[in-house]
Amino acid sequence: MSNASDDSVSKIRVSSNRLSKSRPRPIIIDTDPGQDDAVAIMLALACPEEIEVLGITAVAGNVPLPLTVKNALSIVQLCQRTDVPVFAGCDRPMVRPLVTAEYVHGATGLNGSGLGDPAQEAADGHAVDFIITTLLAERDQKVTICALGPLTNIATALEREPAIAAQIEEIVMMGGGLFEGGNVTPGAEFNIYVDPQAAAIVFGSGLALVLMPLDVTHKALTTPERIEAFRALGSPAGNCVAGMLGFFERFDVEKYGSVGGPLHDPTVIAYLLDPNVLTGRLCNVEIETESELTMGTTVIDWWNVTDRPNNCLVFGDIDAEAFFALLVERIAFLTH
Ligand code: BDR
Ligand code: CA
């Protein structure tokens, strides 16, 4: 589809999602928690009737791998969902050295959460092997990959076992930016910047791709009232979200002079639950992997000025009020 209007694309996606609403949608969450990753995981775990989390695969990103694994384990414990396995994945990008973001997320990655050490350890085996074996296992429904961090685990799995592609429903990602530019360099957003070679593999895969760039997430801001709504739930989960977001927002509030911080990663799960809160269009997206100046930039052909084929549904706008209402409503299901 070329130059489709925002509305028409949104409607197409809504109807295709509704067709498969009869049973929970199986997903794997690939993640580098991170406070916003943590809220995304909580949102998914709060909705077992709509989403079946087959496993959580941790990757190095916001903080080094041992911490992203530990943080994922802490979140499943908080949600009393230790039945969901957490796997340790790649501890560095495919080619480039690891870049982390403690300056945003704090030394632990989950500063503000109030969570202690998890009782449970990571599941045996490597996250990439879990992704491959889970996708190749015979099942009557394809699996959706929710990618909340650098794409290293996913690209490694696709390279190692190309047959998994046939079992992937779609890859829904937070990453990149268009009119908002980048948040690590003028052109590049963190998740893509950390592992541009992995991103290039994913965007060249021919799979159904969905992208939540900074253009969406910078509209999903944590105002004091929105944070208070989580605290008002009066549950450990609500308090944890409020504490994390209170810490997390300080960086972007100072940087952008905004009322709050962008709640990036939960937009991926919101897309699964209610795509009506988002609007976007099919575009071509390519990843810059050569120029140091623009390394990791998502080159999004929003205006269809090239003849490169559409390879991604790129969202550009979100109804922030509806998004936060959905989040509070669902986090309220986590009563512990
Ligand atoms: C992305 O980078 C990380 O800091 C966040 O968790 C999010 O996935 C935003 O650029
Ligand atoms: Ca993340």
Side-chain angles (χ1 to χ4, degrees), residues 144-167:
T144 294
I145 308 277
C146 295
L148 313 179
L151 293 161
T152 320
N153 286 341
I154 297 162
T156 304
L158 285 167
E159 288 242 293
R160 195 175 298 167
E161 183 46 88
I164 63 174
Q167 301 303 322

Side-chain angles (χ1 to χ4, degrees), residues 14-217:
V14 172
S15 58
S16 74
N17 272 337
R18 284 209 175 120
L19 285 177
S20 57
K21 268 227 159 141
S22 49
R23 53 162 289 195
R25 182 169 176 163
I27 71 168
I28 293 172
I29 301 179
D30 190 74
T31 177
D32 62 336
Q35 293 90 347
D36 60 322
D37 302 72
V39 178
I41 294 167
M42 293 169 80
L43 178 60
L45 294 178
C47 305
E49 287 180 8
E50 289 138 295
I51 295 173
E52 180 188 6
V53 183
L54 302 174
I56 297 173
T57 52
V59 67
N62 286 322
V63 285
L65 184 70
L67 285 174
T68 62
V69 172
K70 179 181 166 193
N71 293 344
L73 288 164
S74 295
I75 293 298
V76 297
Q77 182 171 307
L78 172 72
C79 298
Q80 296 191 1
R81 289 298 308 279
T82 49
D83 57 302
V84 175
V86 173
F87 292 86
C90 299
D91 65 358
R92 74 195 78 148
M94 295 181 100
V95 176
R96 294 168 67 83
L98 177 64
V99 175
T100 55
E102 287 88 351
Y103 57 93
V104 179
H105 299 272
T108 71
L110 279 194
N111 286 38
S113 69
L115 296 177
D117 289 346
Q120 193 156 313
E121 298 199 338
D124 288 340
H126 195 282
V128 170
D129 294 324
F130 170 76
I131 292 170
I132 292 170
T133 51
T134 303
L135 290 173
L136 292 183
E138 218 173 301
R139 58 177 62 252
D140 54 7
Q141 224 178 339
K142 291 185 180 182
V143 175
T144 294
I145 308 277
C146 295
L148 313 179
L151 293 161
T152 320
N153 286 341
I154 297 162
T156 304
L158 285 167
E159 288 242 293
R160 195 175 298 167
E161 183 46 88
I164 63 174
Q167 301 303 322
I168 296 175
E169 176 75 28
E170 56 188 357
I171 303 179
V172 188
M173 298 167 272
M174 189 278 137
L178 175 58
F179 303 110
E180 279 293 307
N183 59 1
V184 185
T185 72
E189 178 278 334
F190 180 80
N191 289 341
I192 309 297
Y193 178 77
V194 171
D195 199 340
Q197 282 73 25
I201 289 169
V202 170
F203 280 87
S205 67
L207 287 162
L209 304 178
V210 180
L211 187 67
M212 304 296 163
L214 295 175
D215 304 83
V216 167
T217 67

Side-chain angles (χ1 to χ4, degrees), residues 261-274:
L263 194 48
H264 305 284
D265 293 338
T267 60
V268 167
I269 307 299
Y271 163 76
L272 306 185
L273 295 170
D274 186 3

